[in-house]
Amino acid sequence: GQNIDQPTEMTATEGAIVQINCTYQTSGFNGLFWYQQHAGEAPTFLSYNVLDGLEEKGRFSSFLSRSKGYSYLLLKELQMKDSASYLCAVSRFSNDMRFGAGTRLTVKP
Amino acid sequence: DADVTQTPRNRITKTGKRIMLECSQTKGHDRMYWYRQDPGLGLRLIYYSFDVKDINKGEISDGYSVSRQAQAKFSLSLESAIPNQTALYFCATHPGTGGPGYGYTFGSGTRLTVV
């Protein structure tokens, strides 16, 4: 089986830092992805981790611990436009990607 | 023009009707996927295809069928629509190569309502 868990909702303040956690159990692992999805729109690719550690990409960073089945997405200097859902997804060996239910982030002024 | 185009964008259909959702892509990707998205459940994989002759069932294929007419086209059919198939449907593509870190490219989605 496969479980991917992330918080349902989070709220943060403009200019602050927020960390969105994701835990997973999977048979087969070919990497962990984060996607951003604004309401009513398609998900867009944010980041990818396959080795343990931190990957930084501008205001966004993603961390992976394979032994713990754990990842987080870190968003710095939050902007109002960062209000969206953030989807954690695990790619298995066959490249089919399984998604968590998503974390809806609300950024307040 | 969008790289991955889904038609229609919105559709209301009646229970028992057959309906087809279409996806076409200009990215030249070999791999294509159909997902449905429901509130609180996230994206769930319905079917995927790694090339024209390769079709695979995903987590929730019952009640659905697909056709890969060409590398660029992947259609999803609901044989006899039922209300619990009301959802947002996404098509996605992946090159299959270019490294495992290459994310999916999603279409804009089809919002389907079955009444």
Side-chain angles (χ1 to χ4, degrees):
Chain A
Q2 186 157 325
N3 290 321
I4 302 172
D5 294 311
Q6 50 184 130
T8 303
E9 294 190 33
M10 299 183 72
T11 302
T13 304
E14 190 176 18
I17 299 173
V18 71
Q19 178 175 312
I20 302 174
N21 296 323
C22 172
T23 58
Y24 65 91
Q25 294 176 303
T26 182
S27 55
F29 181 82
N30 197 35
L32 188 136
F33 292 75
W34 286 95
Y35 288 81
Q36 181 190 60
Q37 185 179 24
H38 285 99
E41 298 183 9
T44 56
F45 170 68
L46 281 180
S47 70
Y48 166 76
N49 296 71
V50 68
L51 300 177
D52 290 353
L54 190 68
E55 294 283 342
E56 298 187 76
K57 194 185 284 188
R59 294 189 299 115
F60 293 2
S61 303
S62 56
F63 171 84
L64 176 67
S65 169
R66 289 172 297 171
S67 63
K68 295 182 179 178
Y70 169 68
S71 174
Y72 68 72
L73 180 69
L74 193 71
L75 291 75
K76 303 176 186 176
E77 301 169 14
L78 280 171
Q79 302 174 10
M80 298 300 292
K81 67 178 183 179
D82 297 329
S83 291
S85 289
Y86 292 86
L87 313 180
C88 174
V90 175
S91 174
R92 306 194 304 168
F93 62 91
S94 58
N95 239 117
D96 68 318
M97 204 169 305
R98 303 301 172 100
F99 289 80
T103 298
R104 186 165 60 197
L105 174 66
T106 301
V107 180
K108 295 187 173 180
Chain B
D1 288 342
D3 293 325
V4 183
T5 301
Q6 291 185 234
T7 55
R9 288 297 309 273
N10 292 282
R11 179 73 181 267
I12 300 174
T13 192
K14 293 184 177 180
T15 298
K17 293 290 188 182
R18 184 176 190 275
I19 182 170
M20 179 181 290
L21 309 183
E22 302 197 18
C23 176
S24 63
Q25 52 115 347
T26 58
K27 295 189 73 71
H29 288 174
D30 286 328
R31 300 183 178 189
M32 298 186 74
Y33 305 81
W34 276 105
Y35 286 88
R36 66 176 279 177
Q37 188 173 39
D38 300 274
L41 294 178
L43 287 157
R44 292 181 291 166
L45 182 64
I46 306 171
Y47 270 96
Y48 60 103
S49 169
F50 285 177
D51 65 39
V52 174
K53 296 180 181 179
D54 177 80
I55 302 289
N56 303 281
K57 292 183 177 181
E59 305 169 72
I60 54 164
S61 58
D62 287 349
Y64 301 94
S65 62
V66 291
S67 173
R68 185 84 183 264
Q69 301 95 323
Q71 188 209 35
K73 295 183 182 293
F74 192 36
S75 300
L76 176 72
S77 293
L78 285 66
E79 300 303 324
S80 178
I82 56 177
N84 76 0
Q85 291 178 312
T86 293
L88 184 56
Y89 289 84
F90 285 104
C91 174
T93 72
H94 188 279
T97 56
Y102 196 105
Y104 284 10
T105 301
F106 284 86
S108 297
T110 294
R111 186 168 296 281
L112 176 67
T113 303
V114 183
V115 297

